[in-house]
Amino acid sequence: MNATNDICRSWLPFLPGDPAETVRCAYDMARSELNIARESGMNLPQIILNLQEDMGESFRIAKTEDGYQVSGGEPGVLYGTYRLLMALYAKEKVVCGTTPCKPFYGLRMINCWDNAEGTVERGYAGMSLFFDGGRLSYDARRMRQLGRMLASVGLNVLCINNVNVHDPAHLLIEEEWLPELARLADLFRPFGVRLMLSIDYAQPIRHGIPTADPLDEAVQNWWKKQAEMVYRYVPDLAGFLVKADSEHRPGPFTYGRNHAQGANMLARALKPFGGWLVWRCFVYNCMQDWRDTQTDRPKAAYEHYAWLDGRFDDNVILQIKNGPYDFQVSEPVSPLLYAMPQTHLAVEVQLAQEYTGQQIDLYAMAPMWKELFRDLPAQKVMAVAAVSNLGRDWNFTGHPFAAVNLFTYGLMAWWPDCVEDSESLMRLWVKLTYRLSEEQENTLVDMLLNSRSIYAKYAANLGLGWMVYPHTHYGPNPGGYEFTPWGTYHKADRNGVGVDRSDKGTGYAQQYPEPFQSLYNDPAACPDELLLFFHRLSYDHVMKDGRTLIQRLYDDHFEGLAGAEHLAEQLATLDLPEPDAAEAHKRMQQQLHNAREWCDITNTFFHRYSGVEDARGRTIYP
Ligand code: GCV
């Protein structure tokens, strides 16, 4: 859809059009944004901007006689300005105080999985915003608009290319592409957003060096020289992101080296320029024989990394997916996040709805993050990263409501405690994005709040995962991953379902510290939403609520479908502007179809194995 004037349909409607092109720093951007808001008709009190360099990213909003004073450094003063504007527009209480508002996490990152030819791996919002036809290619106005959206919720690092570095994206760190990359960095700089690049671990081999062994001097020198060149063009680059020895990507294992040796070698090349080396821990055997019952994929990351604690340089950050598998609907927090107290860690979440409805089915993530942040060892994790849900679609996120995930992620990355109140965060997004009556606003908030549990009920209840079509990951295929090499098995048969990961099974639960170890080890204590992740149970197992496991499987699927139908009814009552209304309704039809397929196929699947009838006599197809 070509909706040039709508590219600013974001949560910042009071900032229409394009942010000022000539502005070079965050303080000037803040001044310019205030002017734009005034010109858009927003009735603003007097707002004084007070740049205090030493405040850095922090800001403080104080009440004055005629309005407000926003103090902050570069870019804190801009963050404070956006927060103030959002609060005033949404008619929310402006949080004033003497204590500066500081970000909890220093690096608040977005990881784009964009390929140089213009596609986006697991992208559900159109083609890449940054690449086309094998080169960097972007619309400067949209970049500024994106910078504005990211800064308004305090996000400060944007990794623009896929961690699977397919040719020719490796050229991003080569002289040929660096001038263009520098121009892109210039566009984001006034928003306090620094670029980051995914690199190919084996890149020296493209330059006539016969190896990528991290202990080889020629390899080390090549990376030092290359880093020096990259930083000459983009002096504030946040660093490199690396996927190594994972899903066929090259890495140090090829040379008999461990990941501390691999990561430190790259980190040392970045160190003189203040760059971070972000090393992903998504390492597991993706060529597993399904007959092999000794290997349990969720154990892999801990086994690869925990013993290396304390051996990483101080500018290395290990980036760990929130769960031990791979962004399934219900996973426990990765045990690796508790196991490396002497290492910088980042937690990685996924805004792209790969397993959570693909920006077709409604799935608002804040309630999920609430659980994550409740259980996360907060003091040990110093950064957060989210796989992007952005693309070239007119509204950046495909489904107009998917923007709520980017919005709430940013606020949560700034201050994780705020996800405690996911409802207020989502309500703020609704208020900023749409002009709805109070009743309709409540309806939309209710839809967002319930969307995750509705999706989980029809698509992946009780900790089950991977019952999807392999590769595409959309739609029900309960046996789809059972005999594949990916290590993703639920092992349903006539006796029961689930994997025993307790001390009597694979021992995965033993990777947790207390109290989690005992909680997960015991089926009577284990939370329902993780039950079949941790335990193998028979269909007549009696759940905490007194229902049998099989009845719970049936009930949840019927309830999930009914929930989706209710969402459709609720959507029909909303007066949304176009094209949001059309886009949301179109997707809702797909969601309804999807929910019905999940409900019928999964219930039939378990009925065929268990032979147990639904106690409530509902239709389960033979
Ligand atoms: C970028 C899963 C996804 C892949 C993704 C990978 C990763 O396997 O399906 O598309 O690759 O995770 O996080 O590296």
Side-chain angles (χ1 to χ4, degrees), residues 508-526:
Y508 165 78
Q510 312 308 109
Q511 291 184 344
Y512 285 89
E514 292 294 359
F516 300 106
Q517 193 178 118
S518 302
L519 186 74
Y520 296 148
N521 203 52
D522 175 6
C526 186

Side-chain angles (χ1 to χ4, degrees), residues 392-529:
R392 215 171 264 221
D393 275 3
W394 65 279
N395 60 357
F396 290 98
T397 53
H399 196 311
F401 301 165
V404 77
N405 289 330
L406 180 64
F407 179 83
T408 48
Y409 164 69
L411 294 181
M412 168 210 86
W414 181 277
W415 187 48
D417 280 356
C418 73
V419 283
E420 270 309 313
D421 191 5
S422 13
E423 178 173 343
S424 308
L425 294 187
M426 298 201 277
R427 185 175 297 280
L428 177 60
W429 176 82
V430 172
K431 279 188 171 161
L432 293 170
T433 309
Y434 298 117
R435 279 285 184 217
L436 298 175
S437 66
E438 202 184 321
E439 193 187 343
Q440 293 196 14
E441 182 187 300
N442 289 338
T443 302
L444 182 48
V445 172
D446 187 69
M447 290 171 70
L448 296 173
L449 267 177
N450 295 328
S451 59
R452 177 194 177 220
S453 66
I454 290 171
Y455 186 86
K457 277 189 177 168
Y458 66 75
N461 66 336
L462 305 178
L464 285 170
W466 302 106
M467 297 178 115
V468 289
Y469 281 95
H471 309 302
T472 62
H473 300 163
Y474 188 76
N477 188 344
Y481 266 106
E482 279 307 286
F483 305 102
T484 69
W486 298 98
T488 45
Y489 321 117
H490 54 68
K491 305 198 175 191
D493 66 11
R494 64 184 177 163
N495 299 315
V497 57
V499 176
D500 183 355
R501 298 196 159 104
S502 73
D503 52 355
K504 296 177 202 67
T506 71
Y508 165 78
Q510 312 308 109
Q511 291 184 344
Y512 285 89
E514 292 294 359
F516 300 106
Q517 193 178 118
S518 302
L519 186 74
Y520 296 148
N521 203 52
D522 175 6
C526 186
D528 279 0
E529 61 276 12

Side-chain angles (χ1 to χ4, degrees), residues 58-76:
S58 311
F59 64 84
R60 187 174 51 234
I61 301 176
K63 189 87 189 78
T64 62
E65 214 168 288
D66 309 322
Y68 298 94
Q69 170 169 287
V70 182
S71 306
E74 286 276 353

Side-chain angles (χ1 to χ4, degrees), residues 113 121-122 162-164 243 247 280 282 284 321 326 348 354-355 473:
W113 287 354
E121 183 157 346
R122 311 303 177 189
N162 192 354
V163 287
N164 294 326
K243 172 174 177 177
E247 300 184 333
R280 294 177 87 230
F282 185 55
Y284 68 99
K321 287 193 182 187
D326 186 10
E348 178 180 322
E354 178 177 358
Y355 293 96
H473 300 163

Side-chain angles (χ1 to χ4, degrees), residues 292-314:
D292 164 10
T293 50
Q294 300 309 304
T295 308
D296 184 21
R297 174 169 157 182
K299 291 172 79 176
Y302 184 102
E303 286 171 351
H304 284 300
Y305 292 96
W307 67 280
L308 291 173
D309 188 29
R311 297 208 204 169
F312 290 91
D313 283 9
D314 64 2

